Coordinates of all heavy atoms in Angstrom, one line a residue:
Chain A
N32 N 13.0 -66.1 23.8 CA 11.7 -66.6 24.2 C 10.7 -65.8 23.3 O 10.9 -64.6 23.1 CB 11.4 -66.3 25.7 CG 12.2 -67.2 26.6 OD1 12.9 -68.0 26.2 ND2 12.0 -66.9 27.9
Y34 N 6.5 -65.0 22.3 CA 5.2 -64.9 22.8 C 4.1 -64.5 21.8 O 4.4 -63.6 20.9 CB 5.1 -63.8 24.0 CG 6.2 -64.0 25.0 CD1 7.5 -63.6 24.8 CD2 5.9 -64.6 26.2 CE1 8.5 -63.9 25.8 CE2 6.8 -64.9 27.2 CZ 8.1 -64.5 27.0 OH 9.1 -64.7 28.0
Y36 N 0.3 -62.7 21.8 CA -0.8 -62.1 22.6 C -1.9 -61.7 21.7 O -1.7 -61.5 20.5 CB -0.3 -60.7 23.2 CG 0.8 -60.8 24.3 CD1 2.1 -60.9 23.9 CD2 0.4 -60.9 25.6 CE1 3.1 -61.0 24.9 CE2 1.3 -60.9 26.6 CZ 2.7 -61.0 26.3 OH 3.6 -61.0 27.3
Q38 N -5.2 -58.9 21.5 CA -5.8 -57.7 22.1 C -7.1 -57.5 21.4 O -7.2 -57.2 20.2 CB -4.9 -56.5 21.9 CG -5.4 -55.3 22.5 CD -4.4 -54.1 22.3 OE1 -3.7 -54.0 21.3 NE2 -4.4 -53.2 23.3
G41 N -10.4 -52.4 22.1 CA -10.6 -51.6 23.3 C -10.2 -52.4 24.6 O -10.6 -51.9 25.7
R42 N -9.5 -53.5 24.5 CA -9.3 -54.3 25.7 C -7.7 -54.4 25.9 O -6.9 -53.9 25.2 CB -9.9 -55.7 25.5 CG -11.3 -55.7 25.2 CD -12.2 -55.4 26.4 NE -12.1 -56.5 27.3 CZ -12.9 -57.6 27.3 NH1 -13.7 -57.8 26.3 NH2 -12.7 -58.5 28.2
G43 N -7.4 -55.0 27.0 CA -6.0 -55.3 27.3 C -5.5 -56.5 26.6 O -6.1 -57.0 25.6
L44 N -4.3 -56.9 27.0 CA -3.6 -58.0 26.3 C -3.7 -59.3 27.0 O -3.6 -59.4 28.2 CB -2.1 -57.7 26.2 CG -1.7 -56.6 25.1 CD1 -1.8 -55.2 25.7 CD2 -0.3 -56.9 24.6
L46 N -2.2 -63.1 27.0 CA -1.1 -64.0 26.6 C -1.8 -65.3 26.1 O -2.5 -66.0 26.8 CB -0.1 -64.3 27.7 CG 1.0 -65.2 27.4 CD1 1.9 -64.7 26.3 CD2 1.8 -65.5 28.7
Y49 N 3.5 -69.1 24.7 CA 4.9 -68.7 24.7 C 5.8 -69.9 24.5 O 5.4 -71.1 24.6 CB 5.3 -68.0 26.0 CG 5.3 -68.8 27.3 CD1 6.5 -69.4 27.7 CD2 4.2 -69.0 28.0 CE1 6.5 -70.1 28.9 CE2 4.2 -69.8 29.2 CZ 5.4 -70.4 29.6 OH 5.4 -71.1 30.7
E59 N -1.5 -70.7 27.3 CA -2.0 -70.1 28.5 C -3.5 -70.1 28.6 O -4.1 -70.1 29.7 CB -1.6 -68.6 28.5 CG -0.1 -68.4 28.7 CD 0.3 -68.7 30.1 OE1 -0.2 -68.1 31.0 OE2 1.1 -69.7 30.3
F88 N -6.4 -58.0 17.5 CA -5.1 -57.6 17.2 C -4.1 -58.5 17.8 O -4.1 -58.7 19.0 CB -4.9 -56.1 17.7 CG -3.7 -55.4 17.1 CD1 -3.4 -55.5 15.8 CD2 -2.9 -54.6 17.9 CE1 -2.3 -54.8 15.3 CE2 -1.8 -54.0 17.5 CZ -1.5 -54.0 16.1
L90 N -0.4 -59.8 18.6 CA 1.0 -59.3 18.8 C 1.9 -60.4 19.2 O 1.6 -61.2 20.0 CB 1.0 -58.2 19.9 CG 0.2 -56.9 19.6 CD1 -0.1 -56.2 20.8 CD2 1.1 -56.0 18.7
V94 N 11.9 -62.0 23.9 CA 12.8 -61.7 25.0 C 14.1 -62.4 24.8 O 14.1 -63.6 24.4 CB 12.2 -62.1 26.4 CG1 13.3 -61.9 27.5 CG2 11.0 -61.4 26.7
A95 N 15.2 -61.6 24.9 CA 16.5 -62.3 24.8 C 16.7 -63.3 25.9 O 16.2 -63.2 27.0 CB 17.6 -61.2 24.9
G97 N 17.7 -65.1 28.9 CA 18.2 -64.6 30.2 C 17.7 -63.2 30.5 O 18.0 -62.7 31.6
G98 N 17.1 -62.6 29.5 CA 16.6 -61.2 29.8 C 15.2 -61.2 30.3 O 14.6 -62.3 30.6
E99 N 14.6 -60.0 30.5 CA 13.2 -59.9 31.0 C 12.4 -58.9 30.2 O 11.2 -58.8 30.4 CB 13.2 -59.6 32.5 CG 13.8 -58.3 32.8 CD 13.8 -58.0 34.3 OE1 13.2 -58.8 35.1 OE2 14.3 -57.0 34.7
T100 N 13.0 -58.1 29.4 CA 12.2 -57.0 28.7 C 11.7 -57.6 27.4 O 12.5 -58.1 26.6 CB 13.1 -55.8 28.4 OG1 13.6 -55.3 29.6 CG2 12.3 -54.7 27.7
Q101 N 10.4 -57.5 27.2 CA 9.8 -58.0 26.0 C 9.7 -56.8 25.0 O 9.4 -55.7 25.3 CB 8.4 -58.5 26.3 CG 8.4 -59.8 27.0 CD 7.0 -60.5 27.1 OE1 6.2 -60.2 26.3 NE2 6.9 -61.4 28.0
Y102 N 10.0 -57.2 23.7 CA 9.9 -56.3 22.6 C 8.9 -56.8 21.6 O 8.9 -58.0 21.3 CB 11.3 -56.1 21.9 CG 12.3 -55.6 22.9 CD1 13.1 -56.4 23.6 CD2 12.4 -54.2 23.1 CE1 14.1 -55.9 24.4 CE2 13.3 -53.7 23.9 CZ 14.2 -54.5 24.6 OH 15.1 -54.0 25.5
F103 N 8.0 -55.9 21.2 CA 6.8 -56.3 20.5 C 6.9 -56.0 19.0 O 7.6 -55.0 18.6 CB 5.6 -55.6 21.0 CG 5.1 -56.1 22.3 CD1 5.7 -55.8 23.5 CD2 4.0 -57.0 22.3 CE1 5.3 -56.3 24.7 CE2 3.6 -57.5 23.6 CZ 4.2 -57.2 24.7
G104 N 6.3 -56.9 18.2 CA 6.2 -56.6 16.8 C 5.1 -55.6 16.5 O 4.4 -55.2 17.4
P105 N 4.9 -55.3 15.2 CA 3.9 -54.3 14.8 C 2.5 -54.8 14.8 O 1.5 -54.0 14.8 CB 4.3 -54.0 13.3 CG 5.0 -55.2 12.8 CD 5.7 -55.8 14.0
G106 N 2.3 -56.1 14.9 CA 0.9 -56.7 15.1 C 0.3 -57.1 13.8 O 0.6 -56.6 12.7
R108 N -3.7 -57.3 12.4 CA -5.1 -57.1 12.7 C -6.0 -58.1 12.0 O -6.0 -58.2 10.7 CB -5.6 -55.7 12.3 CG -6.9 -55.3 12.9 CD -7.1 -53.7 12.8 NE -6.1 -53.0 13.5 CZ -6.0 -52.8 14.8 NH1 -6.9 -53.4 15.6 NH2 -5.0 -52.1 15.3
Chain B
P31 N 9.5 -58.5 41.4 CA 9.2 -58.3 40.0 C 10.0 -57.1 39.4 O 10.3 -56.2 40.2 CB 7.7 -58.1 39.9 CG 7.4 -57.5 41.2 CD 8.3 -58.1 42.2
S32 N 10.2 -57.0 38.1 CA 10.5 -55.8 37.4 C 9.2 -55.2 36.9 O 8.3 -55.9 36.6 CB 11.5 -56.2 36.2 OG 12.7 -56.6 36.7
F34 N 7.3 -52.3 34.3 CA 7.4 -51.7 32.9 C 6.2 -50.8 32.6 O 5.1 -51.0 33.1 CB 7.4 -52.8 31.9 CG 8.5 -53.8 32.1 CD1 8.3 -54.9 32.9 CD2 9.7 -53.7 31.4 CE1 9.2 -55.9 33.1 CE2 10.6 -54.7 31.5 CZ 10.4 -55.8 32.4
Y36 N 4.5 -49.7 29.0 CA 4.5 -49.7 27.5 C 3.5 -48.7 27.0 O 2.5 -48.4 27.6 CB 4.1 -51.1 27.0 CG 5.2 -52.2 27.2 CD1 5.4 -52.9 28.3 CD2 6.0 -52.5 26.1 CE1 6.3 -53.9 28.5 CE2 7.0 -53.5 26.2 CZ 7.2 -54.1 27.4 OH 8.1 -55.1 27.5
Q38 N 1.2 -47.7 23.4 CA 0.7 -48.2 22.1 C 0.0 -47.0 21.4 O -1.0 -46.6 21.8 CB -0.3 -49.3 22.4 CG -0.8 -49.9 21.1 CD -1.8 -51.1 21.3 OE1 -2.5 -51.1 22.3 NE2 -1.8 -52.1 20.4
G41 N -3.1 -48.1 16.1 CA -2.8 -49.0 15.0 C -1.4 -49.7 15.1 O -1.1 -50.4 14.1
E42 N -0.7 -49.5 16.2 CA 0.7 -50.0 16.2 C 0.8 -51.0 17.4 O -0.1 -51.2 18.2 CB 1.7 -48.9 16.5 CG 1.7 -47.8 15.3 CD 2.7 -46.8 15.5 OE1 3.6 -46.9 16.5 OE2 2.7 -45.8 14.8
G43 N 2.0 -51.7 17.4 CA 2.3 -52.6 18.5 C 2.7 -51.8 19.7 O 2.7 -50.6 19.7
L44 N 3.1 -52.5 20.7 CA 3.5 -51.9 22.0 C 5.0 -51.5 21.9 O 5.8 -52.3 21.4 CB 3.3 -52.8 23.2 CG 1.9 -52.8 23.8 CD1 0.9 -53.4 22.9 CD2 2.0 -53.5 25.1
Q45 N 5.3 -50.4 22.5 CA 6.7 -50.0 22.6 C 7.1 -49.8 24.1 O 6.3 -49.3 24.8 CB 6.9 -48.6 21.9 CG 6.6 -48.6 20.4 CD 6.8 -47.2 19.9 OE1 7.6 -46.3 20.4 NE2 6.2 -46.9 18.8
L46 N 8.2 -50.3 24.4 CA 8.7 -50.1 25.8 C 8.9 -48.6 26.0 O 9.7 -48.0 25.3 CB 10.0 -50.9 26.0 CG 10.6 -50.7 27.4 CD1 9.7 -51.3 28.5 CD2 12.0 -51.3 27.5
K49 N 11.3 -48.7 32.3 CA 11.2 -49.8 33.2 C 12.1 -49.6 34.5 O 12.9 -48.7 34.5 CB 11.7 -51.1 32.6 CG 13.2 -51.2 32.3 CD 13.6 -52.5 31.7 CE 15.2 -52.6 31.6 NZ 15.6 -53.9 31.0
A50 N 11.8 -50.4 35.5 CA 12.6 -50.3 36.7 C 12.7 -51.7 37.3 O 11.7 -52.5 37.2 CB 11.9 -49.4 37.8
T51 N 13.8 -52.1 37.8 CA 14.1 -53.5 38.1 C 14.1 -53.7 39.6 O 14.1 -54.9 40.0 CB 15.3 -54.0 37.4 OG1 16.4 -53.2 37.9 CG2 15.2 -53.9 35.9
V87 N -2.4 -45.4 24.2 CA -2.8 -46.2 25.3 C -1.5 -46.7 26.0 O -0.6 -47.1 25.4 CB -3.6 -47.5 24.8 CG1 -4.0 -48.3 26.0 CG2 -4.8 -47.0 24.0
F89 N 0.2 -49.0 29.0 CA 0.1 -50.3 29.8 C 1.2 -50.4 30.8 O 2.3 -50.3 30.5 CB 0.2 -51.5 28.8 CG -1.0 -51.6 27.9 CD1 -0.9 -51.1 26.6 CD2 -2.1 -52.3 28.2 CE1 -1.9 -51.2 25.7 CE2 -3.1 -52.5 27.3 CZ -3.1 -51.9 26.1
S93 N 7.1 -58.3 35.4 CA 7.6 -59.6 35.1 C 8.5 -60.1 36.2 O 8.9 -59.3 37.1 CB 8.4 -59.6 33.8 OG 9.7 -59.0 34.0
G94 N 8.8 -61.3 36.1 CA 9.7 -61.8 37.1 C 9.0 -62.4 38.3 O 7.8 -62.7 38.2
N99 N 9.8 -64.7 33.1 CA 9.8 -63.5 32.4 C 8.5 -63.3 31.5 O 8.5 -62.6 30.6 CB 11.0 -63.3 31.5 CG 11.2 -64.5 30.5 OD1 10.2 -65.2 30.3 ND2 12.3 -64.6 29.8
K100 N 7.4 -64.0 31.9 CA 6.2 -63.7 31.3 C 5.7 -62.4 31.9 O 5.9 -62.1 33.1 CB 5.1 -64.8 31.7 CG 5.4 -66.1 30.9 CD 4.2 -67.0 31.1 CE 4.2 -67.6 32.5 NZ 3.0 -68.6 32.6
L101 N 5.0 -61.6 31.1 CA 4.5 -60.3 31.5 C 3.1 -60.4 32.0 O 2.3 -61.1 31.3 CB 4.6 -59.2 30.4 CG 6.0 -58.6 30.1 CD1 5.9 -57.7 28.9 CD2 6.5 -57.9 31.3
F103 N 0.0 -57.8 32.4 CA -0.4 -56.5 32.0 C -1.6 -56.0 32.8 O -2.5 -56.7 33.2 CB -0.7 -56.4 30.5 CG 0.4 -56.5 29.6 CD1 0.9 -57.6 29.1 CD2 1.0 -55.3 29.2 CE1 2.0 -57.7 28.2 CE2 2.1 -55.3 28.3 CZ 2.6 -56.5 27.8
G104 N -1.6 -54.7 33.0 CA -2.8 -54.0 33.4 C -3.7 -53.8 32.2 O -3.3 -54.2 31.1
G105 N -4.9 -53.3 32.4 CA -5.9 -53.2 31.3 C -5.6 -52.1 30.3 O -6.3 -52.0 29.3
G106 N -4.7 -51.2 30.6 CA -4.4 -50.1 29.7 C -5.2 -48.9 30.0 O -6.3 -49.0 30.5
R108 N -6.2 -45.3 28.2 CA -6.2 -44.4 27.0 C -6.1 -43.0 27.4 O -6.8 -42.5 28.2 CB -7.5 -44.6 26.1 CG -7.5 -43.8 24.8 CD -8.7 -44.2 24.0 NE -8.7 -45.6 23.7 CZ -8.1 -46.1 22.7 NH1 -7.3 -45.4 21.9 NH2 -8.2 -47.4 22.4

Side-chain angles (χ1 to χ4, degrees):
Chain A
N32 288 0
Y34 306 80
Y36 292 86
Q38 186 179 28
R42 306 283 292 277
L44 284 87
L46 179 62
Y49 69 96
E59 291 290 298
F88 192 43
L90 290 160
V94 173
E99 62 179 355
T100 301
Q101 289 192 21
Y102 298 95
F103 285 79
R108 193 165 302 281
Chain B
S32 294
F34 305 82
Y36 284 86
Q38 183 178 32
E42 298 184 10
L44 274 68
Q45 299 178 25
L46 178 66
K49 70 176 185 179
T51 58
V87 180
F89 291 93
S93 76
N99 61 10
K100 288 190 289 183
L101 283 176
F103 282 92
R108 183 174 300 276

